[in-house]
Amino acid sequence: MTVPTVVDRLVQQAILQVLDPILDPNFSETSYGFRVGCSAHEALERARQYVAGGRDIVVDIDLEKFFDRVNHDVLMNRLSRHVDDRRLLRIIGRFLRAGLMQDGVCVTRREGTPQGGPLSPLLANLLLDDLDKELERRGHCFVRYADDCNIYVQSLKAGERVMAGVSAFLETKLRLRVNRQKSAVAHVWERKFLGHRLLPGGRLGIAPQSLDRAKERVRQITRRNRGVGFVEVIGELNRFLTGWVAFFRNAECKSHLQRLDEWIRHKLRCLRLKMCKYTKPLADWLRKLGVPKLRAWLLALSGKGWWRLSGSPQAAEGMSLAWFKSQGLVSLTSRYDQLNR
């Protein structure tokens, strides 16, 4: 991946402001990624409607390293259909072919778009618009968000036919590579789309992978060796959790959020106890939180690991729900309920 310089980004942004009004109106209404006025939630709603209508088999197509595999000739050919200015086409071509540094050596780029640049998402949508138009021509029900394309059918047999036909189109017409290991034809609840899992009847759930990634992010934020104070940890957690639960607000996931809330509080209790480091500061801290002296010292002298200590009745008594509320910690379940009122 390469990141454009400030000057390159400025020029690309100027080109984007010119091209977007020309190209975007021609894009399919089932394309939701990187478009003004479109969102992931709208893409999920359309997918949900397809499943609610009985199309519970998904053809999930994964494009292998899409942004690194874009064929320059194919892309420029598509762009020339809408842009007559040869000077502008030459400038865009230069951006595409701009060299990149690998191990200190400048390497000529022969395919791919410069990721991180303002122009790349629009060019990606332009190339994949051919896929959208082909799927519309064939009468398929589909949703595309950037390079994530799901096609909804009514049987596994039909899904296999669609997978074969669409893969051939992508590889021969657009010269893109389909990742056979990650692509699949399956029931919708066996796959994920934009971090969600579609359930029977068109209901939305949260994908297990999304929960795993959320936990990993919490682990990173609550690492003891970061040298960050407890108040700062709470603030960083709140910023992450608020945005995360807002993204999944339409999913049926309250029980998952309750368990995640409990696990987060356990992690924070563990972090706060670790900050005491030694036996006496630990006992003093628990007593300060209202834990009786004998019970506080029994925990401090127990010799158990920090995770077991943080799961003890004394830790739960001292660092209770009310205590976490006083610290300003966001509750995922409460926030979820507020968003769904």
Side-chain angles (χ1 to χ4, degrees):
M1 183 182 77
T2 59
V3 179
T5 64
V6 174
V7 175
D8 284 349
R9 289 181 63 85
L10 181 63
V11 175
Q12 287 190 37
Q13 185 63 42
I15 294 173
L16 175 65
Q17 291 176 350
V18 173
L19 287 183
D20 192 66
I22 298 172
L23 301 179
D24 190 83
N26 299 306
F27 292 158
S28 168
E29 64 175 14
T30 54
S31 169
Y32 293 92
F34 307 126
R35 299 183 65 190
V36 176
C38 296
S39 69
H41 290 116
E42 291 176 326
L44 287 162
E45 175 58 23
R46 180 167 289 235
R48 191 196 66 75
Q49 291 172 3
Y50 289 145
V51 177
R55 297 177 179 274
D56 57 2
I57 302 296
V58 62
V59 181
D60 187 357
I61 298 175
D62 184 273
L63 296 174
E64 184 176 326
K65 297 181 180 178
F66 169 71
F67 285 97
D68 295 330
R69 301 287 188 187
V70 170
N71 184 280
H72 292 171
D73 293 336
V74 174
L75 177 57
M76 292 305 295
N77 177 266
R78 269 53 177 181
L79 188 57
S80 64
R81 297 174 184 174
H82 305 275
V83 179
D84 296 326
D85 192 326
R86 293 185 177 276
R87 292 173 300 177
L88 180 56
L89 291 173
R90 281 198 296 270
I91 292 173
I92 295 172
R94 287 174 181 173
F95 276 127
L96 292 175
R97 296 188 299 273
L100 63 153
M101 297 297 292
Q102 288 185 350
D103 300 324
V105 179
C106 185
V107 180
T108 302
R109 185 199 304 275
R110 301 190 182 277
E111 61 181 0
T113 60
Q115 294 186 48
L119 199 54
S120 291
L122 180 65
L123 296 179
N125 272 335
L126 173 63
L127 181 62
L128 290 175
D129 188 58
D130 272 22
L131 171 63
D132 298 340
K133 296 296 192 292
E134 179 64 17
L135 293 176
E136 289 173 352
R137 188 186 68 79
R138 299 183 187 187
H140 291 308
C141 296
F142 70 98
V143 181
R144 184 176 64 80
Y145 192 93
D147 59 330
D148 196 349
C149 183
N150 279 4
I151 307 166
Y152 298 91
V153 297
Q154 294 178 312
S155 70
L156 290 170
K157 189 173 182 180
E160 295 294 347
R161 288 198 303 269
V162 171
M163 174 67 82
V166 174
S167 296
F169 175 83
L170 287 166
E171 293 178 343
T172 58
K173 298 294 184 181
L174 300 184
R175 300 185 190 177
L176 297 171
R177 189 177 302 173
V178 176
N179 190 322
R180 310 289 178 179
Q181 283 71 41
K182 293 185 179 181
S183 300
V185 176
H187 290 92
V188 290
W189 50 86
E190 296 173 354
R191 306 292 292 178
K192 66 180 179 70
F193 181 53
L194 299 178
H196 291 70
R197 184 173 58 164
L198 285 152
L199 304 171
R203 295 174 296 119
L204 280 177
I206 185 169
Q209 299 93 321
S210 297
L211 290 169
D212 291 340
R213 283 195 293 270
K215 282 189 170 185
E216 183 56 35
R217 180 63 183 139
V218 171
R219 288 189 186 98
Q220 293 172 0
I221 294 173
T222 57
R223 285 203 313 268
R224 176 69 183 91
N225 59 4
R226 292 181 64 213
V228 178
F230 193 75
V231 173
E232 288 77 10
V233 169
I234 293 288
E236 192 173 342
L237 263 181
N238 284 346
R239 289 190 290 274
F240 166 69
L241 295 175
T242 300
W244 187 85
V245 74
F247 182 72
F248 290 103
R249 64 181 180 270
N250 295 326
E252 297 179 11
C253 58
K254 190 167 182 178
S255 60
H256 292 297
L257 297 182
Q258 290 171 341
R259 289 192 293 272
L260 190 55
D261 267 335
E262 293 170 2
W263 181 81
I264 290 170
R265 289 193 295 269
H266 195 157
K267 289 291 293 182
L268 287 172
R269 289 184 183 112
C270 185
L271 173 65
R272 189 60 189 84
L273 292 181
K274 281 183 180 179
M275 288 179 172
C276 296
K277 293 185 179 180
Y278 303 110
T279 301
K280 188 176 186 305
L282 176 54
D284 291 343
W285 167 250
L286 291 171
R287 290 185 64 193
K288 182 179 179 181
L289 293 177
V291 179
K293 180 178 180 180
L294 178 60
R295 297 181 69 238
W297 275 102
L298 283 174
L299 181 68
L301 293 169
S302 69
K304 296 177 181 177
W306 291 113
W307 185 253
R308 290 188 65 188
L309 291 177
S310 58
S312 66
Q314 294 97 315
E317 179 184 348
M319 291 175 277
S320 62
L321 289 175
W323 183 82
F324 279 113
K325 188 174 182 179
S326 72
Q327 300 299 304
L329 178 65
V330 166
S331 166
L332 290 172
T333 49
S334 297
R335 185 63 178 162
Y336 177 81
D337 287 339
Q338 292 171 5
L339 292 168
N340 286 285
R341 283 176 182 169

